Coordinates of all heavy atoms in Angstrom, one line a residue:
M1 N -103.2 -135.4 -3.8 CA -103.8 -136.0 -5.0 C -103.5 -137.4 -5.1 O -102.3 -137.8 -4.8 CB -103.4 -135.3 -6.3 CG -103.9 -135.9 -7.5 SD -103.4 -135.1 -9.1 CE -104.4 -133.6 -9.0
D2 N -104.4 -138.3 -5.3 CA -104.1 -139.7 -5.5 C -105.0 -140.2 -6.6 O -106.2 -140.4 -6.4 CB -104.3 -140.5 -4.2 CG -103.8 -141.9 -4.3 OD1 -103.4 -142.4 -5.5 OD2 -103.8 -142.6 -3.3
L3 N -104.4 -140.5 -7.8 CA -105.2 -141.0 -8.9 C -105.2 -142.5 -9.0 O -105.7 -143.0 -10.0 CB -104.6 -140.4 -10.2 CG -104.7 -138.8 -10.3 CD1 -104.0 -138.3 -11.5 CD2 -106.1 -138.3 -10.2
R4 N -104.7 -143.2 -8.0 CA -104.7 -144.6 -8.0 C -106.1 -145.2 -7.9 O -107.0 -144.6 -7.3 CB -103.8 -145.2 -6.9 CG -102.4 -144.9 -7.0 CD -101.6 -145.3 -5.8 NE -100.2 -145.0 -5.9 CZ -99.7 -143.8 -5.6 NH1 -100.5 -142.9 -5.1 NH2 -98.4 -143.5 -5.7
I5 N -106.3 -146.4 -8.5 CA -107.6 -147.1 -8.4 C -107.8 -147.5 -6.9 O -106.9 -148.1 -6.4 CB -107.6 -148.3 -9.3 CG1 -107.5 -147.8 -10.8 CG2 -108.9 -149.1 -9.1 CD1 -107.3 -148.9 -11.8
S6 N -108.9 -147.1 -6.3 CA -109.1 -147.5 -4.9 C -109.5 -149.0 -4.8 O -110.0 -149.6 -5.8 CB -110.2 -146.6 -4.4 OG -111.4 -146.8 -5.1
G7 N -109.3 -149.5 -3.7 CA -109.7 -150.9 -3.4 C -108.7 -152.0 -3.9 O -109.0 -153.1 -3.9
V8 N -107.6 -151.5 -4.3 CA -106.5 -152.5 -4.8 C -105.5 -152.6 -3.7 O -105.0 -151.6 -3.2 CB -105.9 -152.0 -6.1 CG1 -104.7 -152.9 -6.5 CG2 -106.9 -151.9 -7.2
A9 N -105.1 -153.8 -3.3 CA -104.1 -154.0 -2.3 C -102.7 -153.6 -2.8 O -102.4 -154.0 -3.9 CB -104.1 -155.5 -1.9
R10 N -102.0 -152.9 -2.0 CA -100.7 -152.4 -2.4 C -99.8 -152.5 -1.2 O -100.2 -152.5 0.0 CB -100.7 -150.9 -2.8 CG -101.5 -150.7 -4.0 CD -101.4 -149.2 -4.4 NE -102.0 -149.0 -5.7 CZ -103.3 -148.8 -5.9 NH1 -104.1 -148.8 -4.9 NH2 -103.8 -148.6 -7.1
P11 N -98.5 -152.6 -1.4 CA -97.5 -152.5 -0.3 C -97.7 -151.2 0.5 O -98.3 -150.2 -0.1 CB -96.2 -152.6 -0.9 CG -96.4 -153.1 -2.3 CD -97.8 -152.7 -2.7
A12 N -97.2 -151.2 1.7 CA -97.4 -149.9 2.5 C -96.8 -148.8 1.8 O -95.8 -148.9 1.0 CB -96.7 -150.2 3.9
A13 N -97.3 -147.6 2.0 CA -96.8 -146.4 1.4 C -95.4 -146.1 2.0 O -95.1 -146.3 3.1 CB -97.8 -145.2 1.7
V14 N -94.6 -145.5 1.1 CA -93.2 -145.1 1.5 C -93.1 -143.6 1.0 O -94.0 -143.1 0.3 CB -92.1 -145.9 0.8 CG1 -92.2 -147.4 1.3 CG2 -92.2 -145.9 -0.7
T15 N -92.1 -143.0 1.4 CA -91.9 -141.6 1.0 C -90.6 -141.5 0.1 O -89.6 -142.1 0.5 CB -91.7 -140.7 2.2 OG1 -92.9 -140.8 3.0 CG2 -91.4 -139.2 1.8
I16 N -90.8 -140.8 -1.0 CA -89.6 -140.5 -1.8 C -89.5 -139.0 -1.9 O -90.5 -138.3 -1.6 CB -89.7 -141.2 -3.2 CG1 -91.0 -140.7 -4.0 CG2 -89.7 -142.7 -3.1 CD1 -91.1 -141.2 -5.4
M17 N -88.4 -138.5 -2.3 CA -88.2 -137.1 -2.4 C -88.2 -136.7 -3.9 O -87.4 -137.3 -4.6 CB -86.9 -136.6 -1.7 CG -86.9 -136.8 -0.2 SD -88.2 -136.0 0.7 CE -87.7 -134.3 0.5
V18 N -89.0 -135.8 -4.3 CA -89.1 -135.4 -5.7 C -88.9 -133.9 -5.8 O -89.8 -133.1 -5.3 CB -90.4 -135.8 -6.3 CG1 -90.5 -135.4 -7.8 CG2 -90.7 -137.3 -6.2
G19 N -87.8 -133.5 -6.4 CA -87.6 -132.0 -6.5 C -87.5 -131.4 -5.1 O -87.9 -130.2 -5.0
G20 N -87.1 -132.1 -4.1 CA -87.0 -131.6 -2.8 C -88.2 -131.7 -1.9 O -88.2 -131.3 -0.8
N21 N -89.3 -132.3 -2.5 CA -90.5 -132.4 -1.7 C -90.9 -133.8 -1.5 O -90.7 -134.7 -2.4 CB -91.7 -131.8 -2.5 CG -91.5 -130.3 -2.8 OD1 -91.2 -129.5 -1.9 ND2 -91.5 -129.9 -4.0
P22 N -91.4 -134.2 -0.3 CA -91.8 -135.6 0.0 C -93.0 -135.9 -0.9 O -94.0 -135.2 -1.0 CB -92.1 -135.5 1.5 CG -92.4 -134.1 1.8 CD -91.7 -133.3 0.8
V23 N -93.0 -137.1 -1.4 CA -94.1 -137.7 -2.2 C -94.4 -139.1 -1.7 O -93.4 -139.9 -1.5 CB -93.7 -137.7 -3.7 CG1 -94.8 -138.4 -4.5 CG2 -93.6 -136.2 -4.2
R24 N -95.6 -139.4 -1.6 CA -96.1 -140.7 -1.2 C -96.1 -141.6 -2.4 O -96.5 -141.3 -3.5 CB -97.5 -140.6 -0.6 CG -98.0 -141.9 0.1 CD -99.3 -141.7 0.6 NE -100.3 -141.4 -0.4 CZ -101.1 -142.4 -0.9 NH1 -101.1 -143.6 -0.3 NH2 -102.0 -142.1 -1.8
A25 N -95.6 -142.8 -2.2 CA -95.6 -143.8 -3.3 C -95.6 -145.2 -2.6 O -95.6 -145.3 -1.4 CB -94.3 -143.7 -4.1
H26 N -95.7 -146.2 -3.4 CA -95.7 -147.6 -2.9 C -94.5 -148.3 -3.5 O -94.3 -148.3 -4.7 CB -97.0 -148.3 -3.3 CG -98.2 -147.7 -2.7 ND1 -98.7 -148.0 -1.4 CD2 -99.0 -146.7 -3.2 CE1 -99.7 -147.3 -1.1 NE2 -100.0 -146.4 -2.2
A27 N -93.8 -149.0 -2.6 CA -92.6 -149.7 -3.0 C -93.0 -150.7 -4.1 O -94.0 -151.4 -4.0 CB -92.0 -150.5 -1.8
G28 N -92.2 -150.7 -5.2 CA -92.4 -151.7 -6.3 C -93.2 -151.1 -7.4 O -93.1 -151.7 -8.5
E29 N -94.0 -150.1 -7.2 CA -94.7 -149.6 -8.4 C -93.7 -148.8 -9.2 O -92.7 -148.4 -8.7 CB -95.9 -148.7 -8.0 CG -95.6 -147.4 -7.3 CD -96.9 -146.7 -6.8 OE1 -98.0 -147.1 -7.1 OE2 -96.7 -145.7 -6.1
S30 N -94.0 -148.6 -10.5 CA -93.1 -147.9 -11.3 C -93.0 -146.4 -10.9 O -94.0 -145.8 -10.5 CB -93.4 -148.0 -12.8 OG -94.2 -146.9 -13.3
L31 N -91.8 -145.9 -10.9 CA -91.7 -144.5 -10.5 C -92.5 -143.6 -11.3 O -93.2 -142.7 -10.8 CB -90.2 -144.1 -10.6 CG -89.8 -142.7 -10.2 CD1 -90.2 -142.3 -8.8 CD2 -88.3 -142.4 -10.5
A32 N -92.6 -143.8 -12.6 CA -93.4 -143.0 -13.5 C -94.9 -143.1 -13.1 O -95.6 -142.0 -12.9 CB -93.3 -143.4 -15.0
A33 N -95.4 -144.2 -12.8 CA -96.8 -144.4 -12.4 C -97.0 -143.7 -11.1 O -98.1 -143.1 -10.9 CB -97.2 -145.9 -12.3
A34 N -96.1 -143.8 -10.2 CA -96.2 -143.2 -8.8 C -96.3 -141.7 -9.0 O -97.1 -141.1 -8.3 CB -95.0 -143.6 -7.9
L35 N -95.5 -141.1 -9.8 CA -95.5 -139.7 -9.9 C -96.8 -139.2 -10.6 O -97.4 -138.2 -10.1 CB -94.3 -139.2 -10.8 CG -92.9 -139.5 -10.1 CD1 -91.8 -139.0 -11.0 CD2 -92.8 -138.8 -8.8
I36 N -97.2 -139.9 -11.6 CA -98.5 -139.5 -12.3 C -99.6 -139.6 -11.3 O -100.5 -138.8 -11.3 CB -98.6 -140.3 -13.6 CG1 -97.6 -139.9 -14.6 CG2 -100.0 -140.1 -14.2 CD1 -97.5 -140.8 -15.8
A37 N -99.6 -140.7 -10.5 CA -100.7 -140.9 -9.6 C -100.8 -139.8 -8.6 O -101.9 -139.5 -8.0 CB -100.5 -142.3 -8.9
E38 N -99.7 -139.1 -8.3 CA -99.7 -138.0 -7.4 C -99.8 -136.7 -8.1 O -99.6 -135.6 -7.6 CB -98.4 -138.0 -6.6 CG -98.3 -139.2 -5.7 CD -99.4 -139.2 -4.6 OE1 -99.7 -138.1 -4.1 OE2 -99.9 -140.3 -4.3
G39 N -100.1 -136.7 -9.4 CA -100.4 -135.5 -10.2 C -99.1 -134.9 -10.7 O -99.1 -133.7 -11.2
L40 N -98.0 -135.6 -10.6 CA -96.7 -135.0 -11.1 C -96.4 -135.6 -12.5 O -95.6 -136.5 -12.6 CB -95.6 -135.4 -10.1 CG -95.9 -134.9 -8.6 CD1 -94.9 -135.4 -7.7 CD2 -95.8 -133.3 -8.6
W41 N -97.0 -135.1 -13.5 CA -96.8 -135.6 -14.8 C -95.7 -134.9 -15.6 O -95.4 -135.3 -16.7 CB -98.1 -135.5 -15.6 CG -98.7 -134.2 -15.6 CD1 -99.5 -133.6 -14.7 CD2 -98.4 -133.1 -16.6 NE1 -99.8 -132.3 -15.1 CE2 -99.1 -132.0 -16.2 CE3 -97.6 -133.1 -17.7 CZ2 -99.0 -130.8 -16.9 CZ3 -97.5 -131.9 -18.4 CH2 -98.2 -130.8 -18.0
R42 N -95.2 -133.8 -15.1 CA -94.2 -133.0 -15.9 C -92.8 -133.6 -15.5 O -92.3 -133.4 -14.4 CB -94.3 -131.6 -15.4 CG -93.6 -130.6 -16.3 CD -93.9 -129.1 -15.8 NE -93.4 -128.2 -16.8 CZ -94.2 -127.4 -17.5 NH1 -95.5 -127.4 -17.2 NH2 -93.6 -126.6 -18.3
F43 N -92.2 -134.3 -16.5 CA -90.9 -134.9 -16.2 C -89.7 -134.1 -16.6 O -88.6 -134.5 -16.3 CB -90.9 -136.3 -16.9 CG -91.7 -137.3 -16.2 CD1 -93.1 -137.2 -16.0 CD2 -91.1 -138.5 -15.7 CE1 -93.8 -138.1 -15.3 CE2 -91.9 -139.4 -15.0 CZ -93.2 -139.2 -14.8
G44 N -89.9 -133.1 -17.4 CA -88.8 -132.2 -17.8 C -89.2 -131.3 -18.9 O -90.4 -131.3 -19.4
E45 N -88.3 -130.4 -19.2 CA -88.6 -129.4 -20.3 C -88.1 -129.9 -21.6 O -87.0 -130.5 -21.7 CB -87.9 -128.1 -19.9 CG -88.3 -127.5 -18.6 CD -89.8 -127.4 -18.4 OE1 -90.5 -127.0 -19.4 OE2 -90.3 -127.7 -17.3
G46 N -88.9 -129.7 -22.7 CA -88.4 -130.1 -24.0 C -87.9 -128.8 -24.7 O -87.6 -127.8 -24.1
D47 N -87.7 -128.9 -26.0 CA -87.3 -127.8 -26.8 C -88.3 -126.6 -26.7 O -87.9 -125.5 -26.7 CB -87.0 -128.2 -28.2 CG -85.9 -129.2 -28.3 OD1 -85.0 -129.2 -27.4 OD2 -85.8 -129.9 -29.3
D48 N -89.5 -127.0 -26.7 CA -90.6 -126.0 -26.6 C -91.2 -125.9 -25.2 O -91.7 -126.9 -24.7 CB -91.7 -126.4 -27.6 CG -92.9 -125.4 -27.6 OD1 -92.9 -124.5 -26.8 OD2 -93.7 -125.6 -28.5
P49 N -91.0 -124.8 -24.5 CA -91.5 -124.7 -23.1 C -93.0 -125.0 -23.0 O -93.4 -125.4 -21.9 CB -91.2 -123.3 -22.7 CG -90.2 -122.8 -23.7 CD -90.4 -123.6 -25.0
A50 N -93.7 -124.8 -24.0 CA -95.2 -125.1 -24.0 C -95.4 -126.6 -24.1 O -96.6 -127.0 -23.9 CB -95.9 -124.4 -25.1
R51 N -94.4 -127.4 -24.3 CA -94.6 -128.8 -24.5 C -93.6 -129.6 -23.6 O -92.6 -130.1 -24.0 CB -94.5 -129.3 -25.9 CG -95.5 -128.6 -26.8 CD -95.3 -128.9 -28.3 NE -95.5 -130.3 -28.5 CZ -94.9 -131.0 -29.5 NH1 -94.2 -130.4 -30.4 NH2 -95.2 -132.2 -29.7
P52 N -93.9 -129.6 -22.3 CA -93.0 -130.3 -21.4 C -92.9 -131.8 -21.6 O -93.9 -132.4 -22.2 CB -93.5 -130.0 -20.0 CG -95.0 -129.7 -20.2 CD -95.0 -129.1 -21.6
R53 N -91.8 -132.4 -21.2 CA -91.7 -133.9 -21.4 C -92.5 -134.6 -20.4 O -92.6 -134.2 -19.2 CB -90.2 -134.3 -21.1 CG -89.4 -134.4 -22.3 CD -88.0 -135.1 -22.1 NE -87.3 -134.6 -20.9 CZ -87.2 -135.3 -19.8 NH1 -87.8 -136.5 -19.7 NH2 -86.5 -134.8 -18.8
T54 N -93.2 -135.7 -20.8 CA -93.9 -136.6 -19.9 C -93.8 -138.0 -20.5 O -93.2 -138.2 -21.5 CB -95.3 -136.1 -19.7 OG1 -95.9 -136.8 -18.6 CG2 -96.2 -136.2 -20.9
T55 N -94.4 -138.9 -19.8 CA -94.3 -140.3 -20.3 C -95.1 -140.4 -21.6 O -96.0 -139.7 -21.9 CB -94.9 -141.3 -19.3 OG1 -96.2 -140.9 -19.1 CG2 -94.1 -141.2 -18.0
F56 N -94.6 -141.4 -22.4 CA -95.4 -141.7 -23.6 C -95.6 -143.2 -23.8 O -96.7 -143.6 -23.8 CB -94.6 -141.1 -24.8 CG -95.3 -141.3 -26.2 CD1 -96.4 -140.6 -26.5 CD2 -94.8 -142.3 -27.1 CE1 -97.0 -140.8 -27.7 CE2 -95.4 -142.5 -28.3 CZ -96.5 -141.8 -28.6
C57 N -94.6 -143.9 -23.9 CA -94.7 -145.4 -24.1 C -95.0 -146.2 -22.9 O -95.6 -147.2 -22.9 CB -93.5 -145.9 -24.9 SG -92.0 -146.1 -23.9
M58 N -94.4 -145.8 -21.8 CA -94.4 -146.6 -20.5 C -93.9 -148.0 -20.6 O -94.3 -148.9 -19.9 CB -95.9 -146.6 -19.9 CG -96.4 -145.3 -19.5 SD -95.5 -144.6 -18.1 CE -96.2 -145.5 -16.7
M59 N -93.0 -148.2 -21.6 CA -92.3 -149.5 -21.7 C -90.9 -149.4 -22.1 O -90.3 -150.4 -22.7 CB -93.1 -150.4 -22.7 CG -93.3 -149.9 -24.1 SD -94.3 -151.0 -25.0 CE -93.8 -150.5 -26.7
G60 N -90.2 -148.3 -21.8 CA -88.8 -148.2 -22.0 C -88.3 -147.9 -23.4 O -87.1 -148.1 -23.7
V61 N -89.1 -147.4 -24.3 CA -88.7 -147.2 -25.7 C -88.5 -145.7 -26.0 O -87.5 -145.4 -26.6 CB -89.8 -147.7 -26.7 CG1 -89.4 -147.4 -28.1 CG2 -89.9 -149.2 -26.5
C62 N -89.3 -144.8 -25.5 CA -89.3 -143.4 -26.0 C -88.3 -142.5 -25.3 O -88.0 -141.5 -25.8 CB -90.7 -142.8 -25.9 SG -91.2 -142.4 -24.3
Q63 N -87.9 -142.8 -24.1 CA -87.0 -142.0 -23.3 C -87.6 -140.7 -22.8 O -86.8 -139.8 -22.4 CB -85.7 -141.7 -24.1 CG -85.0 -142.9 -24.8 CD -84.5 -143.9 -23.8 OE1 -83.8 -143.5 -22.8 NE2 -84.8 -145.2 -23.9
Q64 N -88.9 -140.5 -23.0 CA -89.5 -139.3 -22.5 C -89.6 -139.1 -21.0 O -89.9 -138.1 -20.5 CB -90.9 -139.1 -23.2 CG -90.8 -138.9 -24.7 CD -90.1 -137.7 -25.0 OE1 -90.5 -136.6 -24.6 NE2 -89.1 -137.8 -25.8
C65 N -89.3 -140.2 -20.3 CA -89.5 -140.2 -18.9 C -88.2 -140.2 -18.1 O -88.1 -140.5 -16.9 CB -90.3 -141.5 -18.4 SG -89.4 -143.0 -18.8
L66 N -87.1 -139.8 -18.8 CA -85.8 -139.7 -18.1 C -85.8 -138.8 -16.9 O -86.3 -137.7 -17.0 CB -84.7 -139.3 -19.1 CG -84.4 -140.3 -20.2 CD1 -83.3 -139.7 -21.1 CD2 -83.9 -141.6 -19.6
L67 N -85.3 -139.4 -15.8 CA -85.2 -138.6 -14.5 C -83.9 -139.0 -13.9 O -83.3 -140.1 -14.2 CB -86.3 -138.9 -13.6 CG -87.7 -138.4 -14.0 CD1 -88.8 -139.0 -13.0 CD2 -87.8 -136.9 -14.0
R68 N -83.4 -138.3 -12.9 CA -82.3 -138.7 -12.1 C -82.8 -139.2 -10.8 O -83.6 -138.6 -10.1 CB -81.3 -137.5 -11.8 CG -80.5 -137.2 -13.0 CD -79.2 -136.4 -12.7 NE -78.6 -136.1 -13.9 CZ -77.8 -136.9 -14.7 NH1 -77.5 -138.1 -14.2 NH2 -77.3 -136.5 -15.8
V69 N -82.4 -140.4 -10.5 CA -82.8 -141.1 -9.2 C -81.5 -141.4 -8.5 O -80.6 -142.1 -9.0 CB -83.6 -142.4 -9.4 CG1 -83.8 -143.1 -8.1 CG2 -84.9 -142.0 -10.1
D70 N -81.3 -140.8 -7.3 CA -80.1 -140.9 -6.5 C -78.9 -140.6 -7.4 O -77.8 -141.3 -7.3 CB -80.0 -142.3 -5.9 CG -81.2 -142.5 -4.9 OD1 -81.7 -141.6 -4.3 OD2 -81.6 -143.7 -4.8
G71 N -79.0 -139.6 -8.3 CA -77.9 -139.2 -9.1 C -77.7 -139.9 -10.4 O -76.9 -139.5 -11.2
R72 N -78.4 -141.0 -10.6 CA -78.3 -141.8 -11.8 C -79.4 -141.5 -12.8 O -80.6 -141.4 -12.4 CB -78.3 -143.3 -11.5 CG -77.1 -143.9 -10.9 CD -77.3 -145.4 -10.8 NE -78.7 -145.7 -11.0 CZ -79.2 -146.9 -11.3 NH1 -78.4 -147.9 -11.3 NH2 -80.4 -147.1 -11.5
L73 N -79.1 -141.4 -14.1 CA -80.1 -141.2 -15.1 C -80.9 -142.5 -15.3 O -80.3 -143.5 -15.6 CB -79.4 -140.7 -16.4 CG -80.3 -140.1 -17.4 CD1 -81.0 -138.8 -16.9 CD2 -79.4 -139.7 -18.6
V74 N -82.2 -142.5 -15.2 CA -83.0 -143.7 -15.4 C -84.3 -143.4 -16.2 O -84.7 -142.2 -16.3 CB -83.4 -144.3 -14.0 CG1 -82.2 -144.6 -13.1 CG2 -84.4 -143.3 -13.3
Q75 N -84.8 -144.5 -16.7 CA -86.2 -144.4 -17.3 C -87.2 -144.6 -16.2 O -87.2 -145.7 -15.6 CB -86.3 -145.4 -18.4 CG -85.4 -145.2 -19.6 CD -85.3 -146.4 -20.4 OE1 -84.6 -147.4 -20.1 NE2 -86.0 -146.4 -21.5
A76 N -87.9 -143.6 -15.9 CA -88.8 -143.7 -14.7 C -89.9 -144.8 -14.9 O -90.3 -145.4 -13.9 CB -89.5 -142.4 -14.5
C77 N -90.3 -145.1 -16.1 CA -91.3 -146.1 -16.4 C -90.8 -147.5 -16.1 O -91.6 -148.5 -15.9 CB -91.8 -146.1 -17.8 SG -90.7 -146.5 -19.1
L78 N -89.4 -147.7 -16.0 CA -88.9 -149.0 -15.8 C -88.2 -149.1 -14.4 O -87.6 -150.1 -14.1 CB -87.8 -149.4 -16.9 CG -88.3 -149.4 -18.3 CD1 -87.1 -149.8 -19.2 CD2 -89.4 -150.4 -18.5
T79 N -88.3 -148.1 -13.6 CA -87.6 -148.0 -12.3 C -88.6 -148.2 -11.2 O -89.6 -147.4 -11.1 CB -86.9 -146.6 -12.2 OG1 -86.0 -146.5 -13.3 CG2 -86.2 -146.5 -10.9
P80 N -88.4 -149.2 -10.4 CA -89.4 -149.4 -9.3 C -89.1 -148.4 -8.1 O -88.0 -148.0 -7.9 CB -89.1 -150.8 -8.8 CG -87.7 -151.2 -9.3 CD -87.5 -150.3 -10.5
V81 N -90.2 -148.0 -7.5 CA -90.1 -147.2 -6.3 C -89.4 -147.9 -5.2 O -89.7 -149.1 -4.9 CB -91.5 -146.7 -5.9 CG1 -91.4 -146.1 -4.5 CG2 -92.0 -145.7 -6.9
V82 N -88.4 -147.2 -4.5 CA -87.8 -147.7 -3.3 C -87.8 -146.6 -2.3 O -87.6 -145.4 -2.6 CB -86.3 -148.1 -3.6 CG1 -85.6 -148.5 -2.3 CG2 -86.2 -149.2 -4.7
A83 N -88.1 -146.9 -1.1 CA -88.2 -145.9 0.0 C -87.0 -145.0 0.0 O -85.9 -145.5 -0.1 CB -88.5 -146.5 1.3
G84 N -87.2 -143.7 0.1 CA -86.1 -142.8 0.3 C -85.4 -142.4 -1.0 O -84.4 -141.6 -0.9
Q85 N -85.8 -142.8 -2.1 CA -85.2 -142.4 -3.4 C -85.3 -140.8 -3.5 O -86.2 -140.2 -3.0 CB -86.0 -142.9 -4.6 CG -85.7 -144.4 -4.9 CD -86.7 -144.9 -6.0 OE1 -87.9 -144.5 -6.0 NE2 -86.2 -145.7 -6.8
V86 N -84.2 -140.3 -4.1 CA -84.2 -138.8 -4.3 C -84.3 -138.6 -5.8 O -83.4 -139.1 -6.6 CB -82.9 -138.2 -3.7 CG1 -82.8 -136.7 -4.1 CG2 -82.9 -138.4 -2.2
V87 N -85.4 -138.0 -6.3 CA -85.7 -137.9 -7.7 C -85.5 -136.4 -8.1 O -86.1 -135.5 -7.4 CB -87.1 -138.4 -8.0 CG1 -87.4 -138.2 -9.5 CG2 -87.3 -139.8 -7.5
T88 N -84.8 -136.2 -9.2 CA -84.7 -134.8 -9.8 C -84.9 -134.9 -11.3 O -84.8 -136.0 -11.8 CB -83.3 -134.2 -9.4 OG1 -82.3 -135.0 -9.9 CG2 -83.2 -133.9 -7.9
S89 N -85.1 -133.8 -11.9 CA -85.2 -133.9 -13.4 C -83.9 -134.1 -14.0 O -82.8 -133.9 -13.4 CB -85.8 -132.6 -13.9 OG -85.0 -131.5 -13.6
A90 N -83.9 -134.7 -15.2 CA -82.7 -135.1 -15.9 C -81.9 -133.9 -16.5 O -82.5 -132.9 -16.7 CB -83.0 -136.0 -17.0
Ligands
FES101 S1 -92.2 -143.6 -21.0 FE1 -91.2 -144.2 -22.8 S2 -89.2 -144.9 -22.0 FE2 -90.4 -144.4 -20.2

């Protein structure tokens, strides 16, 4: 799946690992945008299993996009993609 707008120049694709699976992304794009573009919008479980966490503000305010990247807790909307990142749920 690729929900990115076609015809836009981007850096070469890189691979990151998300939940143990390889995912294509572009260096420098926000991790949150990269995951959503690949159809991975579920960022974690909330109190209600019927309402999983996903991005909301995309500007570092709501904390709904928290993920672990290379073992560190980060806001995915403010974290740029770097080749080889290992992403897991928070
Ligand atoms: S989506 Fe709100 S802090 Fe990332």
Side-chain angles (χ1 to χ4, degrees):
M1 175 180 287
D2 187 353
L3 299 175
R4 292 174 182 85
I5 297 169
S6 62
V8 175
R10 295 184 172 85
V14 298
T15 300
I16 60 176
M17 297 300 291
V18 180
N21 299 307
V23 171
R24 188 179 68 100
H26 296 273
E29 68 184 351
S30 92
L31 178 58
L35 295 180
I36 292 169
E38 293 296 322
L40 302 171
W41 56 269
R42 195 177 189 113
F43 282 60
E45 303 305 321
D47 294 335
D48 179 353
R51 300 175 64 204
R53 268 191 313 105
T54 190
T55 59
F56 181 71
C57 72
M58 291 296 279
M59 60 183 199
V61 176
C62 73
Q63 312 294 312
Q64 293 297 304
C65 63
L66 290 177
L67 292 172
R68 286 201 185 276
V69 175
D70 299 330
R72 284 184 350 162
L73 197 59
V74 302
Q75 293 165 283
C77 67
L78 299 181
T79 301
V81 165
V82 176
Q85 285 172 321
V86 176
V87 180
T88 57
S89 59

